[in-house]
Amino acid sequence: MSRNRPREEQANGQQGGGAPANGTVNGTAAPSVSGVRPTILDLAALCGVSPATVSNALADKPNVKAETRDLVRRKAREIGYHASSAARGLRLGRSWSIGLVVGDIANPFVPDVVRGVEDVVWRERKNLILCNTDFQAEKKTAYVRSLLDKQIDGMIVLSQILDAQDMERVAAAGIPLVTVNRRAPDFSTDYVGIDNQSGVRMAVDYLVSLGHRRIAFVKGLFRSSSADDRFAAYQAAVQAHGLDGDPSLAVQGDYSMESGDSAARSLMALSQRPTAILAANDLMALGALGALHDLGIRVPADVSVVGFDNIQLAEHPLLNLTTINHPKRETGDAAARLLLQRIAGDRNEPPRSVVLKPSLIVRGTTAPPPSTPKPRRRRPVTVRGTGDGG
């Protein structure tokens, strides 16, 4: 109780052996009993200067004397003071935060891209806010509004597009936006992606070099610019090589494993089967491998399979998928750099694009075509999984 405190302790205004009433012990602020973090007012009082001087000293402004700046910084370390980024952001209209909107964080294509973004954002001492929409319009809109409410400095949208109203909200807020893998229709934004045409052409050229003439293609999502680019490249390559242009060889998919499984079954039911299947992403290629295994069709002895993206699962020895490498971490790195440049520079400059180069990764699912098609056999195996690698 206070009546039993030593006289010296009472004179200093201490309460029960805790911090003094004025927050100092021998000129040094002590931690508060309540655990409240020290404020700029506490630090200013401790140093005998104004809060404005404290702010300028911590910001290394030239109008503060060196000895005052050193004093403020030393006392700030002693009491554990850290400037409130929220308060500073409110004052300057900044948050030092970047919003990253992805469609499906469980898609094996996504983590490497996110890691590329995060590496750059971390080096620049900014915060990354990750939003997973599950490709649901309602969630996309809710996250966009939430990010704008948080006064983010910029936004990256990965492998999906925002609807027109959300795009208008972002534009009206003056928030820089970078789209990755898919271009926003009717809006001009900074963009990072891969050379889809070159990647598909590499795959077709390689299959042709092995002797394949009847090459099937599993398409990606409707209304996806990357899916459209890859299918257009397939059509151009078929024509350039004078291959079989049978329209039944092009089957619609949706970037999921299930759609790859279904596409492969449809293709194997044709009276004249393809000798190779090129899928617009790896997950559909893996789905195709599952269906071919189920049907008793050997890969690559009977049918070759090629994917696109080179996700980590494609390297597994039991899959060993031939694919087109999409440099995913480099994609995230480029998107973050482009966004930070836009934030720091002239926001009225024309939109910029960064297009990365693909490469062919030859593994164990491709070989020359068989001379004679093999009979069909069926075994019950199901393959499940979803994704959106484009």
Side-chain angles (χ1 to χ4, degrees):
M1 298 295 292
S2 61
R3 70 175 60 184
N4 296 325
R5 289 180 296 170
R7 183 174 301 172
E8 180 181 359
E9 184 179 312
Q10 292 181 16
N12 285 333
Q14 286 182 304
Q15 300 175 358
N22 65 0
T24 65
V25 176
N26 296 326
T28 300
S32 168
V33 173
S34 65
V36 176
R37 60 184 289 180
T39 69
I40 192 171
L41 296 177
D42 298 328
L43 182 56
L46 180 61
C47 297
V49 298
S50 70
T53 299
V54 169
S55 179
N56 290 335
L58 295 176
D60 204 21
K61 295 290 182 66
N63 60 339
V64 180
K65 294 180 181 179
E67 55 267 29
T68 301
R69 182 174 60 250
D70 293 343
L71 171 67
V72 169
R73 291 183 172 180
R74 185 175 70 255
K75 293 300 183 184
R77 287 194 298 270
E78 289 175 359
I79 68 173
Y81 171 78
H82 299 282
S84 170
S85 59
R88 184 181 175 212
L90 202 62
R91 186 172 68 252
L92 300 177
R94 296 280 305 276
S95 67
W96 292 274
S97 297
I98 302 300
L100 175 56
V101 183
V102 305
D104 179 10
I105 192 63
N107 181 342
F109 175 86
V110 171
D112 279 346
V113 180
V114 173
R115 181 61 184 271
V117 173
E118 194 270 342
D119 285 345
V120 174
V121 171
W122 171 255
R123 285 197 299 269
E124 296 298 322
R125 295 297 184 263
K126 298 187 185 299
N127 302 308
L128 183 65
I129 303 174
L130 181 62
C131 304
N132 179 65
T133 70
D134 292 319
F135 298 104
Q136 297 176 14
E138 181 180 359
K139 289 184 72 173
K140 270 193 282 190
T141 295
Y143 275 130
V144 168
R145 289 178 174 174
S146 176
L147 292 172
L148 295 180
D149 286 344
K150 289 178 171 61
Q151 293 187 311
I152 58 167
D153 295 338
M155 186 185 304
I156 298 172
V157 178
L158 170 61
S159 291
Q160 59 187 318
I161 57 174
L162 303 181
D163 65 28
Q165 288 185 332
D166 288 337
M167 291 293 292
E168 288 169 358
R169 289 187 183 100
V170 174
I175 301 299
L177 172 68
V178 176
T179 59
V180 179
N181 288 346
R182 298 187 195 174
R183 297 184 184 273
D186 305 320
F187 289 88
S188 296
T189 69
D190 291 330
Y191 167 80
V192 176
I194 192 171
D195 187 342
N196 291 297
Q197 292 88 344
S198 176
V200 171
R201 189 165 57 247
M202 285 179 186
V204 175
D205 288 350
Y206 175 65
L207 290 171
V208 170
S209 74
L210 293 176
H212 294 277
R213 305 293 297 174
R214 191 168 168 82
I215 301 171
F217 187 79
V218 185
K219 298 185 281 186
L221 279 170
F222 286 113
R223 295 176 298 170
S224 164
S225 62
S226 62
D228 292 344
D229 288 346
R230 292 176 192 182
F231 181 51
Y234 162 78
Q235 291 178 307
V238 166
Q239 184 174 8
H241 285 289
L243 305 179
D244 189 338
D246 181 354
S248 65
L249 291 175
V251 181
Q252 186 64 53
D254 63 10
Y255 284 138
S256 70
M257 248 189 214
E258 286 88 350
S259 69
D261 180 291
S262 176
R265 292 176 188 276
S266 296
L267 291 167
M268 293 302 103
L270 295 175
S271 58
Q272 187 179 0
R273 295 173 173 174
T275 60
I277 299 174
L278 169 58
N281 80 341
D282 281 349
L283 285 180
M284 292 194 296
L286 296 181
L289 289 177
L292 295 172
H293 176 78
D294 184 7
L295 297 171
I297 297 171
R298 299 171 301 166
V299 176
D302 300 327
V303 175
S304 290
V305 177
V306 180
F308 198 116
D309 284 336
N310 193 31
I311 60 175
Q312 189 172 13
L313 189 58
E315 304 176 33
H316 193 284
L318 295 179
L319 300 172
N320 206 23
L321 178 67
T322 295
T323 186
I324 297 298
N325 181 55
H326 185 149
K328 294 167 285 298
R329 186 171 292 194
E330 292 86 342
T331 296
D333 181 285
R337 289 179 183 277
L338 191 57
L339 182 63
L340 293 177
Q341 290 168 8
R342 179 67 73 181
I343 292 169
D346 184 357
R347 301 191 182 188
N348 294 319
E349 289 181 356
R352 293 163 292 178
S353 294
V354 176
V355 179
L356 302 173
K357 296 299 182 184
S359 57
L360 174 67
I361 308 295
V362 177
R363 296 195 180 102
T365 58
T366 46
S371 56
T372 305
K374 301 296 181 182
R376 288 171 286 187
R377 291 182 290 116
R378 296 181 180 273
R379 286 184 294 160
V381 174
T382 58
V383 178
R384 302 199 178 279
T386 60
D388 173 56

